[in-house]
Amino acid sequence: MSAPGGSQVRKMRLSSFVRKVLLEVPSPTEQDWPQDDEKDFAFKDSEQELESLPQPYRMINKMVNLLFDQAWEVIMKRDALREAEHSRVQPTIYLPLVESKLNKMPNCMAVSQDYVFIGGAKGFSIYNLYDAKRLYIWEKLKVDVTSIWAADLGSEILIAPVDETGIARLFYFCKDGLFLIKAINEVDDISKQTTCLKTEISHGGDFAAFLLQGAGDIWLDVYRLPKESWLKEVEHPQLAIDPKKKVRQLQLNTPDSVTSDNLEMDINICFRGDIKLSLPVHIMRIKPPKPVTGTTFKSPLEVFAKIEDCSGLGSGQNHFIKDTQWEQQEAIFKALFKKYLDGECGEEQLSMATFHFLLPGRVTTMPADVKSPSGVACVLGIHWTGNHNFFLYSLNRTLKDKAGFPLGVVALPKGCSCQSVHFLKYYLVHQGQNVYPEGPLKSHMKCVVLCTDSSVHLVTARGTQEPTVSVLVERPVKYLDEAICAVAPVPALPGMVLTFSRNGSVQLMDVAKPQIICAFAPPRTYHLAVPWTPMFVVSLHRPCFLLRGDHPDEIESDDAKDIQNSIFCFNLEAYPLLENICNLCTVPQADMTDSMAFAQVLPLEKRCESFLQERFQKLEKKVKEQEHWTRLRRYSLLLQRETSRK
């Protein structure tokens, strides 16, 4: 923006260098010329000299130029991002093979065997995994189901839904019907009601743990599940019939909005309320560790005599440090870090727990004389927020006095705080492909750790070797929308995990390389409504996972009845890039005898047996060679004798 000027001004469009000092006529000789100094010149705009604007137009001109400069910077950044995006190698994107349309908003889902369990209003529904047809429904609650878990018990399934009030229930689902086992934390006095925050069921359904909160306290209740008794009671119902209850057939009310071409199929369910199954057995209650205070022991011998009920690194409660020493150290600490402590909130929150049922050899080494059933959890690992310890509790009575020790202690890189831990089934790289070796493995563990800064790490521990930590995904710096918010292992594919990003992308990563194999996405008309907390579930035994997708137009609709939510099924073995991986997941031990990596993961007795067999075979081969040479030598001597006689 500038004022109109004369014709002479219009011709002067170039800037000029104007000398700050007076001009003089130079001397004839070049040596006498003064040396030019850049400071003696100033860069001036000829237009500004002749066309200076009055206020407020001069300020308006500056604001307009500033807006143009900022807009140009945004354009350049977007152009650079677009060029970088085109130069990046994009993975192959696969679409789902099956879509299940629901007439109600799903709150949660779980998968086990060939069934999908979806929690929603007043209960949960059971669907077929492959054709998306609804098979059973249980709606007897006055509130919604907000979370649900399912565990495979063989031919039966254990279901654990939790409703909005925090009450957890256990159901036994089999071909004969649906059985309610127990409401874990339901009480008659509502003032004493506790809330279930999280549930975990061990692999195989032998144990279950419930994180409960109530009356300003939090704790973990662990139960042993009598699944063998349940099987007998279902096969012989006359032994467990409750005469006060009768069999009820729950008739489903089909809404008018559901058409015949819908994928859902409503049928009757046989809810066996007349049969009372055996209740779970409570085996332990675990509370967060208390703050470390001054010692109550009178001598060091009492400290060593005290044994905690957990294995691994202790909680620090058993020590011989006095109160005065604690107070001195606390005063020194507060004096050193006063500027960091002043801004902290004084309110103390309840500690939350992350817990895992661990199979033999996952974290601890098992004693040689202890025989644990294959596939049965033996250790419960717990991590409480605000605590640096990972506590290990034995689930096996024979291990109470013979607890194993941790494979190792690792520290994440500086600035990384653990958000979630995901244990992987131990795999090996055989002929360039990840495979599961047949047979039991001990003292070997791999887990994927998702940190709060969205970085992902792989932790590996092998027996007496030092644990290693490798970075799978760096903390995003340039592309913040690609920050990973969830990670899920795919047990059917060795060494594979699913990563969910904030931009809604879902990718399959090979942690052994590491690299992205492919990506998955719902149809274009759908997207993830809340990408940072995606609703998904991965099958433990099938190479597939389920993902909830929402239609943009339906999300903005005010009428909940008109919303058609969809659950998409991604069958991994149907995609070309994953077909060979799915078919070659397990390799027999006989095919890996020459593999050094496989020999290192075998149990000690197996390694000794293999070593002795190898030595015996070499010795036998050597003996046969010696016998062969002895025979040849005897034959040669006989020939020499016969020749000398002739």
Side-chain angles (χ1 to χ4, degrees):
M1 182 179 295
S2 59
S7 60
Q8 183 179 1
V9 175
R10 295 189 184 95
K11 294 179 182 178
M12 300 176 61
R13 293 299 182 186
L14 298 176
S15 301
S16 60
F17 284 100
V18 181
R19 193 178 181 90
K20 295 181 180 180
V21 297
L22 296 176
L23 296 178
E24 298 178 356
V25 178
S27 61
T29 59
E30 185 177 354
Q31 297 178 353
D32 298 334
W33 291 356
Q35 298 294 329
D36 294 336
D37 191 355
E38 294 182 357
K39 297 181 179 180
D40 295 337
F41 294 90
F43 184 75
K44 294 185 178 180
D45 192 348
S46 58
E47 293 185 358
Q48 291 183 357
E49 288 184 353
L50 301 177
E51 299 181 5
S52 60
L53 293 174
Q55 291 289 7
Y57 302 106
R58 192 160 59 246
M59 180 178 291
I60 296 175
N61 186 33
K62 291 182 179 179
M63 295 298 296
V64 172
N65 290 335
L66 180 62
L67 289 176
F68 277 123
D69 293 339
Q70 292 178 349
W72 183 252
E73 290 180 1
V74 173
I75 292 173
M76 294 297 293
K77 287 182 179 180
R78 291 184 178 180
D79 193 30
L81 289 175
R82 191 179 297 109
E83 291 181 0
E85 190 70 23
H86 287 304
S87 62
R88 297 171 63 190
V89 178
Q90 298 295 332
T92 304
I93 300 178
Y94 291 115
L95 299 178
L97 300 179
V98 179
E99 178 183 359
S100 175
K101 292 186 177 180
L102 310 177
N103 59 347
K104 294 182 181 180
M105 177 73 73
N107 298 328
C108 53
M109 58 182 174
V111 61
S112 181
Q113 298 183 12
D114 298 334
Y115 302 98
V116 180
F117 306 89
I118 298 179
K122 299 182 180 181
F124 60 89
S125 303
I126 306 176
Y127 291 79
N128 186 284
L129 177 61
Y130 300 105
D131 57 15
K133 292 182 179 180
R134 186 163 68 180
L135 305 176
Y136 304 107
I137 185 171
W138 185 84
E139 293 181 345
K140 295 184 62 178
L141 302 176
K142 297 181 180 180
V143 293
D144 294 354
V145 171
T146 57
S147 57
I148 191 170
W149 289 265
D152 186 4
L153 304 181
S155 57
E156 298 79 22
I157 299 175
L158 184 66
I159 311 170
V162 179
D163 60 26
E164 286 180 321
T165 62
I167 297 178
R169 295 175 174 84
L170 283 180
F171 289 87
Y172 188 78
F173 175 66
C174 62
K175 61 181 180 179
D176 297 325
L178 186 66
F179 303 83
L180 175 61
I181 300 173
K182 181 184 179 182
I184 297 297
N185 56 330
E186 187 176 22
V187 293
D188 297 332
D189 189 358
I190 193 172
S191 62
K192 299 180 180 179
Q193 181 64 57
T194 59
T195 302
C196 181
L197 303 178
K198 187 179 179 182
T199 302
E200 190 75 25
I201 304 174
S202 67
H203 180 75
D206 296 278
F207 302 94
F210 303 89
L211 183 64
L212 303 177
Q213 178 183 354
D217 198 4
I218 190 170
W219 64 92
L220 187 70
D221 278 341
V222 185
Y223 292 85
R224 187 187 304 275
L225 305 178
K227 58 180 186 178
E228 291 81 8
S229 301
W230 294 340
L231 184 60
K232 295 179 181 179
E233 293 166 356
V234 170
E235 292 179 351
H236 306 282
Q238 64 274 9
L239 301 177
I241 289 181
D242 188 353
K244 298 181 180 180
K245 295 184 179 181
K246 299 181 179 180
V247 181
R248 297 183 60 187
Q249 297 287 340
L250 301 182
Q251 179 66 34
L252 301 180
N253 297 323
T254 305
D256 298 336
S257 60
V258 180
T259 59
S260 60
D261 57 350
N262 198 312
L263 290 178
E264 297 186 83
M265 181 181 67
D266 298 325
I267 62 173
N268 295 335
I269 177 175
C270 181
F271 179 70
R272 302 300 301 271
D274 60 325
I275 296 180
K276 187 177 181 181
L277 301 182
S278 299
L279 298 179
V281 180
H282 187 269
I283 57 176
M284 69 176 74
R285 173 170 291 184
I286 305 171
K287 292 187 176 182
K290 298 179 181 179
V292 181
T293 57
T295 182
T296 58
F297 300 105
K298 297 180 180 179
S299 66
L301 295 177
E302 295 183 8
V303 178
F304 292 109
K306 179 67 174 179
I307 300 177
E308 298 189 22
D309 57 350
C310 64
S311 305
L313 297 179
S315 61
Q317 300 289 338
N318 303 332
H319 59 84
F320 200 63
I321 303 176
K322 297 182 179 180
D323 289 329
T324 55
Q325 295 174 307
W326 278 114
E327 293 174 359
Q328 293 175 0
Q329 293 297 326
E330 185 179 3
I332 295 173
F333 179 82
K334 289 183 177 180
L336 291 175
F337 302 99
K338 184 177 183 300
K339 61 179 181 179
Y340 301 103
L341 298 175
D342 291 341
E344 291 187 354
C345 180
E347 184 178 357
E348 189 173 338
Q349 298 180 353
L350 286 176
S351 179
M352 296 295 294
T354 302
F355 48 98
H356 308 270
F357 286 101
L358 305 175
L359 297 176
R362 284 290 180 92
V363 172
T364 60
T365 56
M366 303 299 296
D369 57 341
V370 175
K371 301 298 182 181
S372 179
S374 178
V376 178
C378 62
V379 173
L380 175 65
I382 307 176
H383 170 259
W384 298 93
T385 57
N387 196 288
H388 296 283
N389 300 75
F390 188 67
F391 299 100
L392 304 175
Y393 296 86
S394 174
L395 300 172
N396 194 331
R397 294 180 180 177
T398 58
L399 293 178
K400 291 294 184 181
D401 301 327
K402 300 179 179 181
F405 55 89
L407 296 179
V409 180
V410 297
L412 294 174
K414 185 178 180 181
C416 295
S417 179
C418 177
Q419 177 177 336
S420 61
V421 179
H422 308 273
F423 289 90
L424 304 178
K425 185 178 178 181
Y426 198 84
Y427 65 91
L428 297 172
V429 180
H430 178 62
Q431 298 180 355
Q433 185 172 341
N434 302 342
V435 294
Y436 291 134
E438 285 185 347
L441 302 178
K442 290 188 177 181
S443 306
H444 291 80
M445 182 275 298
K446 290 184 179 182
C447 65
V448 175
V449 181
L450 174 62
C451 298
T452 53
D453 62 352
S454 297
S455 62
V456 184
H457 304 264
L458 177 65
V459 179
T460 305
R462 293 184 292 267
T464 57
Q465 300 182 15
E466 183 179 0
T468 60
V469 180
S470 58
V471 180
L472 298 178
V473 180
E474 295 280 358
R475 179 177 64 90
V477 178
K478 190 174 183 181
Y479 305 97
L480 298 181
D481 60 337
E482 295 184 357
I484 296 177
C485 54
V487 174
V490 184
L493 301 181
M496 302 288 179
V497 296
L498 289 171
T499 61
F500 299 82
S501 304
R502 291 184 177 271
N503 58 4
S505 64
V506 183
Q507 297 179 335
L508 182 67
M509 172 186 288
D510 184 354
V511 300
K513 295 184 178 179
Q515 70 177 15
I516 301 298
I517 303 298
C518 59
F520 308 94
R524 291 186 177 181
T525 55
Y526 291 85
H527 71 278
L528 304 183
V530 190
W532 51 92
T533 55
M535 183 178 171
F536 68 94
V537 62
V538 182
S539 175
L540 295 178
H541 306 286
R542 307 285 192 272
C544 66
F545 73 96
L546 304 176
L547 181 66
R548 171 188 160 187
D550 300 289
H551 198 283
D553 299 334
E554 295 170 349
I555 294 174
E556 299 175 357
S557 177
D558 296 332
D559 191 359
K561 296 181 180 180
D562 297 336
I563 299 178
Q564 290 290 330
N565 303 277
S566 294
I567 301 295
F568 298 100
C569 179
F570 295 84
N571 188 4
L572 304 182
E573 59 185 354
Y575 302 124
L577 287 177
L578 306 176
E579 186 176 359
N580 293 333
I581 301 177
C582 296
N583 295 334
L584 300 175
C585 290
T586 305
V587 176
Q589 295 184 6
D591 298 343
M592 301 184 65
T593 53
D594 298 334
S595 176
M596 183 63 66
F598 176 72
Q600 295 178 356
V601 301
L602 286 174
L604 180 60
E605 55 271 16
K606 292 290 184 181
R607 295 173 62 180
C608 293
E609 182 181 352
S610 177
F611 174 76
L612 292 176
Q613 287 181 354
E614 184 178 356
R615 294 288 296 177
F616 178 77
Q617 291 176 358
K618 290 183 178 179
L619 183 61
E620 186 179 12
K621 183 178 180 181
K622 188 175 182 180
V623 170
K624 290 182 178 180
E625 290 179 353
Q626 290 179 352
E627 291 179 353
H628 177 70
W629 285 110
T630 302
R631 291 174 182 175
L632 290 178
R633 187 176 180 182
R634 289 178 179 177
Y635 182 71
S636 176
L637 291 175
L638 290 175
L639 289 177
Q640 291 178 2
R641 290 177 181 177
E642 292 293 333
T643 305
S644 61
R645 289 178 182 178
K646 294 180 180 180

